[in-house]
Structures are given as C-alpha cells and as structure tokens.
Amino acid sequence: MLLTHANLATFDADGAYGLVTDGAIWIESECIRWVGPMQDAPQETGAGERLDLGGRLVTPGLVDCHTHIVHAGNRSKEFEMRLGGASYEEVARAGGGINSTVTATRDASEEDLLCSALTRVDALISEGVTTLEIKSGYGLNIKSELKMLRVARKIARERPVRVKTSFLGAHSVPAEYSGRADAYLDEVCLPALAAADEAGLVDAVDGFCEGIAFSREQIRRVFEAAKSLGLPVKLHAEQLSNLGGAQLAAEFSAMSSDHLEYATEEDVAAMARAGMAAVLLPGAFYFLRETKLPPLEALRSHGVAMALATDCNPGTSPLTSPLLVMNMACTLFRMTPEEALSGVTLHGAQALGLNDCGKLCAGARADLAIWDVEHPAELAYRIGFNPLHKRIFAGAM
Ligand code: DI6
Ligand code: FE
C-alpha cells in the first residue's frame, strides 16, 4: 500500500522529530518500508493499493502507556463527595477509593468486565490508539487479579490493538488485610504475581508507592520478585507525596515512573541516569484538582523522555481521550504541542519498552493515524473534537 500526498509527523529511528509536507509512506505487510517526500518515493512500490490523502496529516498510531481500563462500576458518588470537600485520601481511608472498585471488580463476571472495558477501548481506538497498556490491581486476590489480566489479553484478540499488561497487585491493601500490608504481599500479591506470570499474563510489574498504599520497602519486595521472574518494572511514584519511589524505581532500572507531581530534581536526575521515561498523567492532575506541577523543567534539562497517558481509571481519571490528554498537557503542564505528540507516540512506546512503534520510519510497524488536520499542533489545540480520518493497525485499515 502506498499513502500519497500526506503531511507526515515523523519520528525517525533515533527518535528525531520531523515534519514532511507532501510526503508518502510505503507499507509492506505489517511494516513501513519507506517514508519521505513524494518526489523521492521509490518507483518499485508495486501494484498495491494507492491512497491519496489529499494533504491530511499522518502520525504514528497513538500509544496509551498507562491505563486501568479493565474495571467494574464507577465512582461518581465519590466524585460528589470530593466536590463537597473530601480529599482523595480521605475518601480512600473511609473505605471508598480503590477498594470500592475492588468490590465491584471481584463481583463482575469475566464477560461483563470485558464488555465494559471494550466500550472504553473503542473510545481510545476512535482517537487513533494502536497500542495500550492495561494494569491489574482491582482484584487484589489471586483469582480476581488473574481474571483482570485474562480480560486484558482478550482485548487484543477482540480488537485491532496491541496490549501490554502490567501486574499491579501492589495497588492497595484490600479490606481483609487492613493494617497488614506485608501479610498481603506474602499471602496474596507475590503468589498472584507468580501465578499470573506462569500463565503468561504479565508483561511488566507495577506498584503504587504512597501513604495510602505501599511503602518504598514494600515495593522493593515486589520489585525483587519481578526481578527474579525476569520481568521489567515501573512505578506509580510521588503522585500525592514524596516517598522516594522514583529513586527506588531507578535502582531497579524501571521502564518508567508515573505521575511524579511531588518528584524532586534529585529524583529526576536518578531517573535520567537509569534511562527511564517519565509518564505524566494530566487527567489525574486535573480530576484531583492538584496544584503541584510535575517537575517539567528538570525533566527537560535532564533529558528524561516525557510520555503522556490517560491513566483511564474510575477514581482519579475517568478519561478515554488521548487528544484531551495532549490538550491538558499543554494547557496545564505547559508542554509544547510537539512534546504532547511525542508523549503519546515515541515516548509512550519507550515507557513500555517498545522500539518498533510510536514512530514513522522504515522498519517500524505500520501503526498509523490519519487525521483531518494539516498541522500536528491542531491535535493538541482543539478540545472535545476528534479529527481522526482513518487508523492503520499492523498495515491493515
Ligand atoms: N494512582 C492513580 O491515579 C490510580 N491508581 C493509582 O495508583 C487511581 C486508582 C483509583 O482511584 O481507582
Ligand atoms: Fe495509574
């Protein structure tokens, strides 16, 4: 297939950004064979389909590298409580929060969980997402953690989208282990991780290092277990307070630290040395009405890749729009539209340890988004408007 007369927002093999006006892309089976200006297009592109894009913009397919998209129920009641003045932590300590979604998720059948997740996945796909990460963490017992991860794997069979799973057994201490976080790790979380890994359901291991969740030393135990299974790690770190999670993650050469509102320059320096990505989640920042900004200047000056994601979850970011994430990253975090685009493509892929997507260059997977706009800045600029024209997943429209 040859795509012609398109504007191309490319990231090349080295991750350098470029804008090609009147460009072409040659796709062969599942891969991009050639990308460049129309006049240089190779002659031997064969008798395949030709598609004139009439000046539309092509970007890499979007990567949503941090979601809790598999869950049951919703938390609109809690939203009302918070609007009445309760903080996220107060709601959690009063038995709401993550644990209320745990009850709903444990009670849901596998079919119902899949069905509700697919409506949200379809919203992502309709905005050009071709790769997404899905975490467990609302089961918090062996059976339900495995159920969530099976549903995540099924999504990749039900829809043309690539799914990377993260085991998040260390998301919250469930009610039956209240005050006994270490016993929960020993009796549930670590055995669940081993069982899920044995079943081929785990691509990475995540945790929530926070006052309302797990301490740095408890997360260390989870990371040691991940290491012994040969699984990469990542961490929800410094979202509500600074507990040193980002530096712990760096010690374990994590793929990313996520949230980071309370991270310091020292944390960022440790992340840079470890070659980690920062995953920024403006939806959660907005929804919690947080005012402390993540350390943008330090991330830039230390050259840490800044990925962006929806954090789609029922408690702090009931968001299924990567385009709105891009807009929020610009308006709330003062990121540039170009940084926003690389956040949901190249850097999102990097945060998942993927090297074959999130860019437009020869050899990359043919995961593309074609937009009814001329310039990439338009993607971050509009609010609540979806200009996706077509999506190509692994070379197929
Ligand atoms: N941080 C978050 O923002 C989500 N999980 C996490 O560790 C919130 C999950 C929830 O409130 O249900
Ligand atoms: Fe999260």
Side-chain angles (χ1 to χ4, degrees):
M1 178 161 51
L2 189 68
L3 306 178
T4 63
H5 300 294
N7 290 337
L8 312 174
T10 64
F11 293 98
D12 67 15
D14 302 322
Y17 177 68
L19 195 56
V20 178
T21 33
D22 202 28
I25 303 179
W26 178 14
I27 296 170
E28 216 174 40
S29 62
E30 295 189 359
C31 282
I32 297 174
R33 178 83 188 266
W34 186 89
V35 176
M38 271 304 283
Q39 75 260 20
D40 302 340
Q43 294 306 304
E44 71 277 17
T45 54
E49 193 184 341
R50 277 177 87 97
L51 192 64
D52 185 336
L53 294 181
R56 290 190 177 90
L57 174 73
V58 181
T59 66
L62 305 191
V63 178
D64 193 352
C65 67
H66 180 140
T67 86
H68 308 248
I69 210 161
V70 172
H71 61 259
N74 75 76
R75 306 235 293 275
S76 55
K77 286 255 154 40
E78 201 175 289
F79 175 56
E80 289 183 81
M81 279 169 72
R82 284 198 300 103
L83 290 174
S87 74
Y88 178 64
E89 281 130 310
E90 280 160 4
V91 171
R93 293 191 197 282
I98 294 174
N99 284 344
S100 72
T101 301
V102 169
T103 305
T105 303
R106 286 178 179 176
D107 288 348
S109 70
E110 203 158 320
E111 293 68 40
D112 288 348
L113 263 188
L114 175 64
C115 191
S116 72
L118 284 175
T119 62
R120 294 183 284 268
V121 170
D122 287 341
L124 297 182
I125 287 176
S126 77
E127 290 193 8
V129 169
T130 48
T131 299
L132 87 139
E133 184 255 18
I134 302 178
K135 303 175 194 298
S136 68
Y138 291 123
L140 308 188
N141 62 32
I142 298 179
K143 191 171 121 227
S144 303
E145 284 293 299
L146 266 70
K147 175 174 73 175
M148 287 186 73
L149 292 166
R150 279 195 304 274
V151 169
R153 285 278 191 249
K154 272 189 197 154
I155 286 170
R157 295 196 286 272
E158 295 280 332
R159 292 292 187 272
V161 72
R162 191 176 185 193
V163 171
K164 291 301 228 175
T165 60
S166 299
F167 175 83
L168 181 57
H171 192 196
S172 179
V173 181
E176 63 274 20
Y177 279 91
S178 182
R180 296 188 298 134
D182 280 291
Y184 166 73
L185 292 181
D186 288 324
E187 292 164 24
V188 179
C189 182
L190 300 179
L193 170 57
D197 179 57
E198 173 78 31
L201 295 172
V202 185
D203 297 324
V205 175
D206 196 351
F208 190 20
C209 187
E210 195 56 66
I212 53 168
F214 296 90
S215 70
R216 186 179 149 123
E217 286 319 303
Q218 285 159 347
I219 296 293
R220 179 186 293 283
R221 299 183 54 206
V222 177
F223 282 2
E224 293 289 359
K227 195 169 150 188
S228 72
L229 294 169
L231 293 168
V233 299
K234 55 169 84 179
L235 191 62
H236 288 69
E238 342 300 3
Q239 179 187 7
L240 309 168
S241 61
N242 189 308
L243 292 191
Q247 294 201 34
L248 174 75
E251 212 183 294
F252 282 81
S253 304
M255 295 194 290
S256 68
S257 272
D258 305 31
H259 289 287
L260 296 172
E261 279 83 344
Y262 288 80
T264 63
E265 168 138 27
E266 223 183 320
D267 298 331
V268 171
M271 289 173 63
R273 282 193 299 275
M276 291 162 62
V279 178
L280 303 180
L281 305 163
F285 176 91
Y286 163 81
F287 200 70
L288 292 176
R289 302 169 75 223
E290 178 60 69
T291 52
K292 178 122 172 53
L293 288 164
L296 268 290
E297 269 322 309
L299 290 166
R300 285 192 186 105
S301 65
H302 286 271
V304 174
M306 295 185 285
L308 290 166
T310 60
D311 194 14
C312 175
N313 79 71
T316 64
S317 191
L319 170 61
T320 47
S321 169
L323 292 172
L324 186 53
V325 168
M326 293 172 74
N327 176 269
M328 286 177 168
C330 297
T331 52
L332 299 174
F333 294 172
R334 290 281 170 247
M335 286 171 69
T336 66
E338 192 183 310
E339 285 174 331
L341 181 63
S342 57
V344 293
T345 54
L346 183 77
H347 294 150
Q350 185 183 327
L352 295 178
L354 297 173
N355 193 26
D356 61 349
C357 65
K359 50 195 172 184
L360 287 191
C361 61
R365 271 171 68 98
D367 289 348
L368 314 175
I370 305 169
W371 309 92
D372 267 321
V373 305
E374 282 173 33
H375 192 276
E378 290 177 63
L379 297 177
Y381 150 76
R382 290 199 179 79
I383 303 170
F385 179 72
N386 179 7
L388 188 78
H389 173 68
K390 279 194 168 72
R391 202 189 65 126
I392 296 179
F393 177 73
M397 196 99 64

